[in-house]
Amino acid sequence: MLNLRETIDRQVSLALRDLLSAEEAPLACCSLSRPGFLDYTLSLPMKLARTRHRAPVAIAQDLQPAVAVIACAGLAEAVAPGYINIRLSDSFVADQLSSMLGTEPVVLLQKEANGQKIEVEFVSANPTGPLHVGNGRGAALGSVLATLLETQGYRVDREYYVNDYGSKMKLFTESIAHYVFPMLGLEHPMPDEGYHGAYVPDLAQAIYDRKGSELLSLLEEQRLAVIGEDGKELVLASIRQALEEMGVSFDTWFSERYLIENGWNDRVLQQFRDRGVVYEKDDAVWLRSTDFGDDKDRVLVRRDGEPTYTLTDAAYHFNKFQRGYVKSIDVFGADHIGHIVPMQALMKSLGLPDDFLEVIIYQIVHFLRGGQHVVLSKQTGEIIELADLVREVGKDQARVFFLLSSADSELEFDLEVAKEKSFDNPAYYLKYTYARLCSVERQARGTGAVVPSTASPADVSRLKTPEDRELLKCLLKAQDEVDDAARTRQPHRILYLASELAKSVNAFYQKEKVIQEDTGLAQARMLLVLVSQRLLQAYAHVLGVTLPESM
């Protein structure tokens, strides 16, 4: 499917090549806007007026003949105060509809592979307990963003970083041990900052049931190691299950312990030394991160010889770079906003490309039930785990509601609305709309009406009503908008596009008759029905939701 703005940009630039100087030629690009139905407006004459010292409208009149003959133009006219309006030709539009009609939905928005690898890291919650509902927003954003980037021709790997090393894992292990040891006739104190969730005794019981006799035969250090490893694996299993139930999967579960035990911290520390960006003070090793835009220098190795999270973060992202990724996109919650500048400084201090790391921060989610804010705690009986949320409202509803606003805005998630079968529920609205389109197609086939496989200029010329044109506009602008959403890293816009298309479909259905005696108009409108079906399916593929053929 063509990005029409890019296509017209190329055609305009080629058509005006002999009319523009070398300095003026770049101005022809990105001069297009789309104000109307099948119209694009070229603002190039307004830009050229500054250097040519002529009235923009006069320049527009000079350029109009060359623009008028580009392949996609049915009409090009110079208008005051200095624009060239381009109306797409019926034949060009028919070609686009035919292409969409002949393309499988799963690849309808897909561009050719470009050979570049991108890694999207998201969720990455510590494996010290089940996923909280707040993790759901990062899961939805990261999952949809990864699929959205695949439409741009990238090879995208989805990665979960398992923080299975360090002080938090030690506290987690000792917290479980506090409950396991008495089952063995032993004692182990609960650490002051230990984990007190109700799931901890459950983990202890599961570990005892699996490894009780083995644990008795081990020394305490070995016993703790087994408890910690088993506890981590049990938690990771619950995390995987919760994410799978939400339709979220990962290509890689990358272990922090693997990173450290395989020498990546040492390797990166030597890289820093070779680049002359570290120094020693107070028996610790420091990075001169202020030389790279940070607000303060950062400790890499503490005086006790233990690496800091800063060093491990540097090692992890250097490892990503060594794995051949041209870009790492990290999707973090709002509590990580202070990490952006230090992380960018780390990348620069390693000598990585300036655009290697992107960080997307998403704001918090407020949960409502029947319009009232709810406190998520086990004491009140309300859900707190992501798995509970998904089981209550459903996979598709969870994914859609976590995408209701841009990542940089706080989000309200109404649990009751998410379960409603009403048009107030955007997930239901998409499903209902798709089922309606399928019903129209079944009815057409059942009555022997023409169900076209291609579009003709005559078909396009028959689509004249505001509802016809609004729906056609939604279809033709899809690739432009999807490309913009990918470029700006805004996966929620795919939900907006799908919802906008659904709204146009239903307005069209309410106002216009598809199956009718005028066979030419019936065929033209069936084209809109069939292409809308495919495009809704394409959006649903990116969103990771399913659309039923009947409801």
Side-chain angles (χ1 to χ4, degrees):
M1 185 176 177
L2 291 179
N3 182 309
L4 297 189
R5 187 180 292 111
E6 291 178 358
T7 300
I8 300 169
D9 250 339
R10 286 194 295 269
Q11 292 188 12
V12 167
S13 296
L14 185 61
L16 298 178
R17 180 178 53 187
D18 296 334
L19 300 178
L20 302 176
S21 68
E23 293 76 19
E24 292 173 335
L27 297 176
C29 297
C30 305
S31 295
L32 285 171
S33 60
R34 185 174 200 160
F37 163 50
L38 297 182
D39 299 310
Y40 282 84
T41 291
L42 182 65
S43 61
L44 176 62
M46 303 290 285
K47 297 180 179 181
L48 296 179
R50 301 167 192 167
T51 55
R52 292 193 176 188
H53 307 294
R54 294 184 64 209
V57 69
I59 298 174
Q61 290 167 348
D62 290 344
L63 301 182
Q64 182 272 340
V67 175
V69 298
I70 65 175
C72 64
L75 175 69
E77 55 182 350
V79 297
Y83 298 102
I84 300 175
N85 288 341
I86 304 169
R87 168 66 60 92
L88 299 180
S89 70
D90 289 349
S91 60
F92 181 79
V93 172
D95 287 344
Q96 305 317 303
L97 293 177
S98 295
S99 176
M100 295 173 74
L101 199 55
T103 304
E104 288 299 314
V106 72
V107 295
L108 181 59
L109 301 170
Q110 186 80 41
K111 292 187 169 182
E112 290 185 9
N114 59 30
Q116 294 185 312
K117 291 172 56 179
I118 288 181
E119 184 255 28
V120 179
E121 182 207 338
F122 57 108
V123 185
S124 296
N126 291 332
T128 53
L131 290 181
H132 187 276
V133 284
N135 297 121
R137 191 175 192 189
L141 287 168
S143 175
V144 176
L145 176 61
T147 308
L148 177 58
L149 290 170
E150 285 175 336
T151 69
Q152 304 301 293
Y154 293 104
R155 174 186 161 189
V156 182
D157 286 338
R158 299 151 177 83
E159 186 152 299
Y160 189 116
Y161 182 54
V162 181
N163 296 269
D164 56 355
Y165 186 89
S167 58
K168 290 183 178 179
M169 287 304 298
K170 185 173 185 296
L171 288 172
F172 174 66
T173 298
E174 292 184 348
S175 299
I176 301 174
H178 173 70
Y179 295 99
V180 173
F181 274 46
M183 300 176 191
L184 304 173
L186 304 169
E187 292 184 0
H188 192 89
M190 172 66 77
D192 292 340
E193 298 180 4
Y195 292 86
H196 297 276
Y199 65 90
V200 178
D202 293 341
L203 287 174
Q205 185 64 56
I207 292 169
Y208 176 77
D209 291 344
R210 293 169 59 181
K211 298 283 182 70
S213 57
E214 176 186 338
L215 290 172
L216 274 172
S217 65
L218 300 175
L219 298 175
E220 180 165 335
E221 185 176 343
Q222 297 170 319
R223 193 176 294 134
L224 287 172
V226 170
I227 290 172
E229 187 64 23
D230 266 34
K232 179 189 75 173
E233 291 304 323
L234 287 169
V235 168
L236 283 176
S238 76
I239 288 174
R240 284 191 181 95
Q241 181 176 346
L243 290 169
E244 287 171 1
E245 289 180 6
M246 192 177 159
V248 177
S249 61
F250 290 87
D251 301 293
T252 307
W253 295 73
F254 193 96
S255 164
E256 179 184 3
R257 179 172 294 279
Y258 165 85
L259 192 77
I260 293 170
E261 291 181 350
N262 282 270
W264 282 92
N265 274 2
D266 295 336
R267 198 174 311 176
V268 167
L269 184 59
Q270 187 59 49
Q271 176 91 348
F272 282 136
R273 293 187 188 281
D274 293 343
R275 292 177 58 81
V277 295
V278 297
Y279 62 94
E280 295 189 9
K281 185 180 76 172
D282 301 330
D283 298 324
V285 180
W286 296 70
L287 175 68
R288 299 183 189 277
S289 48
T290 50
D291 290 352
F292 302 95
D294 202 352
D295 60 346
K296 62 181 180 181
D297 288 350
R298 305 282 170 170
V299 177
L300 297 174
V301 183
R302 299 186 184 93
R303 64 181 60 188
D304 63 1
E306 284 297 307
T308 62
Y309 284 119
T310 300
L311 178 57
T312 305
D313 281 342
Y316 177 41
H317 285 81
F318 187 71
N319 175 276
K320 293 181 185 184
F321 183 73
Q322 292 296 308
R323 280 186 274 156
Y325 296 113
V326 298
K327 188 177 293 295
S328 169
I329 302 177
D330 297 352
V331 182
F332 293 147
D335 55 330
H336 284 74
I337 194 166
H339 295 186
I340 297 177
V341 172
M343 285 296 297
Q344 294 290 4
L346 274 181
M347 301 304 102
K348 292 177 182 177
S349 63
L350 281 168
L352 301 186
D354 288 345
D355 62 348
F356 175 72
L357 174 65
E358 289 184 24
V359 179
I360 295 174
I361 298 291
Y362 61 90
Q363 298 299 320
I364 63 172
V365 183
H366 301 285
F367 291 91
L368 297 86
R369 195 179 291 282
Q372 299 297 315
H373 285 272
V374 294
V375 178
L376 299 174
S377 67
K378 288 293 184 182
Q379 287 72 24
T380 64
E382 293 289 350
I383 54 177
I384 188 170
E385 294 182 19
L386 178 61
D388 292 333
L389 173 96
V390 174
R391 289 163 193 163
E392 179 177 350
V393 304
K395 172 185 80 74
D396 293 344
Q397 290 79 356
R399 293 179 70 93
V400 164
F401 273 67
F402 278 124
L403 293 167
L404 286 178
S405 65
S406 63
D408 58 4
S409 301
E410 293 186 5
L411 174 68
E412 289 192 340
F413 189 128
D414 194 311
L415 299 163
E416 294 304 321
V417 174
K419 294 185 289 184
E420 288 179 0
K421 294 181 178 180
S422 75
F423 292 167
D424 291 332
N425 179 343
Y428 176 84
Y429 191 52
L430 294 181
K431 293 172 183 289
Y432 173 88
T433 302
Y434 182 73
R436 167 171 274 179
L437 289 168
C438 292
S439 175
V440 173
E441 182 187 1
R442 285 194 299 270
Q443 184 181 354
R445 294 186 185 279
T447 59
V450 175
V451 180
S453 58
T454 59
S456 70
D459 293 324
V460 176
S461 69
R462 292 185 176 98
L463 299 172
K464 297 177 179 179
T465 71
E467 288 73 24
D468 291 337
R469 292 187 172 204
E470 184 59 33
L471 182 50
L472 185 53
K473 178 181 175 181
C474 283
L475 301 176
L476 293 178
K477 74 175 185 177
Q479 191 70 60
D480 295 25
E481 297 289 343
V482 168
D483 292 351
D484 282 347
R487 178 179 52 81
T488 57
R489 314 293 192 243
Q490 293 184 303
H492 72 283
R493 285 178 57 185
I494 304 303
L495 176 59
Y496 288 4
L497 288 169
S499 299
E500 181 186 30
L501 176 58
K503 182 179 178 181
S504 294
V505 164
N506 287 294
F508 162 80
Y509 180 85
Q510 294 295 333
K511 189 72 179 293
E512 308 300 344
K513 193 173 182 179
V514 178
I515 302 171
Q516 55 177 284
E517 293 181 0
D518 184 339
T519 56
L521 184 56
Q523 177 171 312
R525 286 186 173 152
M526 272 307 300
L527 279 169
L528 294 181
V529 168
L530 297 173
V531 177
S532 295
Q533 273 183 312
R534 280 163 173 72
L535 185 55
L536 267 182
Q537 284 181 293
Y539 286 147
H541 169 69
V542 178
L543 293 170
V545 302
T546 55
L547 299 177
E549 294 186 1
S550 61
M551 292 181 69

